[in-house]
Amino acid sequence: MQKYNPKKIEKKWQEYWAKKPKLSAADEKSKNPKFYCLDMFPYPSGDGLHVGHVEGYTASDIYSRYQRMIGKNVLHPIGWDAFGLPAENFAIRTGVHPAKSTQKNIKTFTKQIKSLGLAYDWSREIDTSSPEYYRWTQWFFLFLYKHGLAYRKKAKVNWCESCKTVLANEQVEDGVCERCKNEVIQKDLEQWFFKITDFAEDLIKDLDKIDWPESTKTAQKNWIGKSEGATVKFKINKDYNLEVFTTRLDTIFGCTYCVVAPEHSLIEKLKLQIKNLKEVEKYVKLAKKKTDLQRTELQKNKTGIEIKGIKAINPFTNEAVPIFVADYVLSTYGTGAVMAVPAHDERDFEFAKKYKLGIKQVITPNLDAYEDTVRILEVLRKINNAAKKENLKIWLLGGLGCAFHATIIYRACEDLDLIARDDIEFKKAIRLFEKLGFKKIKEKKLSEGLTNYIFADKEGIEIDIGPNVGEWGLLKKDFEEDKKNLNGFEAYVLSKKFHVNLKELLQKKRNKEIDNMDLAYLQGKVLVEDGFLVNSGKYSGLASEKVREEMANWLEKNKLGKKTTTYKLRDWLISRQRYWGAPIPMIHCEKCGWQMVPEKDLPVLLPKVKDYRPKGTSPLGTNKDFVNTTCPKCKGKAKRELDTMDTFVCSSWYFFRFADSKNQKEFASKDKIKKWLPVDLYVGGAEHTVLHLLYARFFTKALHKYKYIGFNEPFAKLRHQGLVIAEDGRKMSKSLGNVINPDDIVKQYGADVLRLYEMFMGPLEDSKIWNTKSIVGLSRFLDRVWKLSAKRKTQNAKTQLKTQNLDNLIHKTIKKVTEDIENLHFNTAISSMMILVNEMEKENIIQITNYKLLITLLSPFAPHIAEELWHELGHKKSIFLEKWPQYDPKLVVEKEANIVVQVNGKVRDQITVPADAKENDIKRLAFESEKIKKYIPNVDNIRKIIFVPGRLINFVV
RNA sequence: GGGCAGGUGGUGGAACGGCAGACACGCUAGCCUUAGGAGCUAGUGCCGCAAGGUGUGAGGGUUCAAAUCCCUCCCUGCCCACCA
């Protein structure tokens, strides 16, 4: 037999399979249960296939080959997500029509995919840029339009004044145009939207019934961003209420101002009453010019301006608060207006700090602490007054575990003139406490003849007074000049329950970092969590969660607001002022308005143009024959919509098309959809976690709502392949020059080796680092498999006895490989086959049945070599028509067990016993062991025995 | 800043309450070969000649037994990011 030469055999079998397309095709007539295994179809970029593609495609190839071999009728299709920006940019650069470059790329991809031995049903191949396909993309647009799920409204686009063009987000770098480096501004243009928000609730709810990675599900939930809260009406005058949305109605007593987004209608409506209208309008104009990026970049430096002349009345307190316009409030979320509670919201806090607005605490994390604080405050005042009378200066500190209370105390301390500077003052202070009814409860001798005293009053408020020794190391280091002051005496006021060290507070004060309202400095952050209400009228003392409910009910009863649920999810803007996409099938008539292109006129063909550059509107506008048309309704002159659709629209329904890719009457027939869908296993990159997967679910739900299909989730089971990282630990990228081209690996080692290597690298879903050196291991493995064929012998009685152990192992391997494929644990499946091969190598003779079992197990992973070895045995049909092997349960059971003997949980010995050995026998055997005798000289000392059948016995002494 | 995933030898990883390091790469020694990015044999977590000890990011806890479960902290990667 010749040496293993992948180049030769792989080409041979690829040609063989190409001649037998049924091997990889779905069977429309079969009565076997169906299995739809789908890869995320690739964008055929000029760079060719990436090793990341190979990973996902190999995984789904193994899985679908396996499904076929266990008797399923498998649909495993492939196609091209062919519209998109890179082809268009290439056209702008070179003048080559995108269709041409795309077709060329598709050819490359096809060749590459075939060279990997991936078993796709090529008869169903689709290309989203072909009119046969995008005809149905356009049909979907009309379908959504007919049901009110597609609509037109003004929306912001990135606009470059110097290029006079609309830019995609990717073309805006740091707020400037990537081509001319001019500032990008925001311009309102009429755009088409899909009303995905109609399905927000279902898109969250139905995640429960699909088998997807939890991380993907939560990412979708976060993206949809459901928040439950309330809208509240703040009265401005008798005709106008400012409606705000809040999830923290419980903090409303702490609202010290309101903020509206620059786009808010209030500014226009109350124009006449606004005293500083010019200023406000100037701010609004400036804010509107900012891109989203610029707005978010300024997170830490919020801007805004008060709208003078109007106030908003808090319905709970009847207080009138100022109104600001600021671009940290988003016009597109909630009502575009918020009530600001700086004490309990970081953004509001930051803004309040900057513009010196009121900060009012209304939530405490600990009601007891809060009450204690109030009492401590009283004590402090009492001491302060008494000390003043005696002309005594005492530094009193007080506080609790919660910085909020520390703040309050701190503020009270402001007017206390602090420290006892010497022994005389210290003694005076002690006398003063006694006079005020404090009793000395503890006395602690410190070094150098100094003493620390603790006083307490009847209510348990404690004063801890003593010298400053070493406690302030930090301060000493940082504030050398203050050293003298620190060598005095200090006193803490404490409550029984909460002890406090206000060292940090003092440090900040000395550093002059603290201003009166600066809560953030004191606690590092604003208290945004739920807690208990304080300073909130009749709601004080109650828990946040409960109060929100009560307050919302009160609002509803008094018609001042209502419970509201909002979502972050926005409607999907699908208009692209771009050439290389599916034209939007709409016509605008001066008389009749927007009209659908009649279905019979689809597809609206993408016209030929000379200049692909966007010009403010899509390049389609340069073709006058395309632009000018007749109105489908009045037959008068009309103009076509010039924009194309976002490529995500094309990929939102492609999995339906695979069920019936040649259908000329429908996007897919109801029967075929019913036969093949939903997708049973969907494999693809995690970068599509939100957009593509969410859009595909939206389309499915829309079809379901209007009774086109009988299910409402497209992908029953989803798995992501992990990233393949370059050898240098960075992402593979052309500019870094660390990209691995799968063609090179195929050329050097063969497709089977590449497939095995990528599967052996690690768990499918983990990101893995590419290591070219390691590939050779898989090459050696296949080489060994190849060489085994020399040892195979037909079965006879003599060899049977000899190979008993191997029979055992092979059936264990069948079990393991089968389970691993089911769970997509391909790395361990391969390693178990390696173990088998290592054992087989040691034998002189291998039974033919066992040899066949091995190559059948290997066949989904390394199809070429398996097919070659199979035919080499004299078979005339493909190995992929074989049934998947079944293991013999009798052969999988171990006859002997290795029992680990532990003493106090540490392994001290091992004994081999029959698999069904009883605890008593094992115990006896264990005690015979010299090693165990060493650790347990006296059997009577054993306190406890833990016995795990077939595994271990543990003696506790 | 938020969410998610993760941290195990020189490397990729295995084990996912019960022998830590399967399998593979690399490395070391020997054999074979005209030669080796070939093949074969043996070894390979760390400390130690050995007996033995020690070891899964750090610290604590639960348990007869923890890489695995719970708490605190640290680090890395990915995604989202002013959503009231």
Side-chain angles (χ1 to χ4, degrees), chain A residues 289-343:
Chain A
K289 254 173 77 181
K290 288 185 194 170
T291 61
D292 284 352
L293 197 79
Q294 283 168 312
R295 281 202 189 183
T296 48
E297 266 176 3
L298 296 167
Q299 250 181 74
K300 288 290 156 219
N301 189 14
K302 296 184 171 36
T303 61
I305 181 169
E306 186 178 350
I307 304 176
K308 288 184 177 146
I310 54 171
K311 297 260 183 194
I313 293 167
N314 183 334
F316 282 88
T317 62
N318 287 320
E319 254 177 293
V321 296
I323 304 166
F324 282 74
V325 54
D327 62 9
Y328 80 88
V329 171
L330 305 175
S331 64
T332 45
Y333 183 76
T335 59
V338 300
M339 61 175 215
V341 184

Side-chain angles (χ1 to χ4, degrees), chain A residues 854-906:
Chain A
L854 169 70
I855 53 176
T856 316
L857 286 180
L858 185 64
S859 66
F861 296 83
H864 307 90
I865 191 174
E867 192 79 286
E868 171 73 20
L869 294 173
W870 186 251
H871 279 75
E872 212 253 330
L873 289 172
H875 292 102
K876 294 278 176 273
K877 282 185 181 165
S878 169
I879 190 169
F880 297 103
L881 296 168
E882 287 300 299
K883 278 218 170 79
W884 186 253
Q886 295 237 303
Y887 65 86
D888 182 345
K890 273 177 280 176
L891 288 172
V892 172
V893 178
E894 297 279 357
K895 294 211 166 52
E896 286 187 331
N898 223 5
I899 302 285
V900 170
V901 186
Q902 295 184 332
V903 179
N904 288 336
K906 294 213 172 190

Side-chain angles (χ1 to χ4, degrees), chain A residues 83-103:
Chain A
F83 276 135
L85 214 55
E88 185 175 320
N89 286 341
F90 184 74
I92 293 169
R93 270 205 317 277
T94 63
V96 176
H97 193 278
K100 215 173 156 190
S101 58
T102 302
Q103 288 313 311

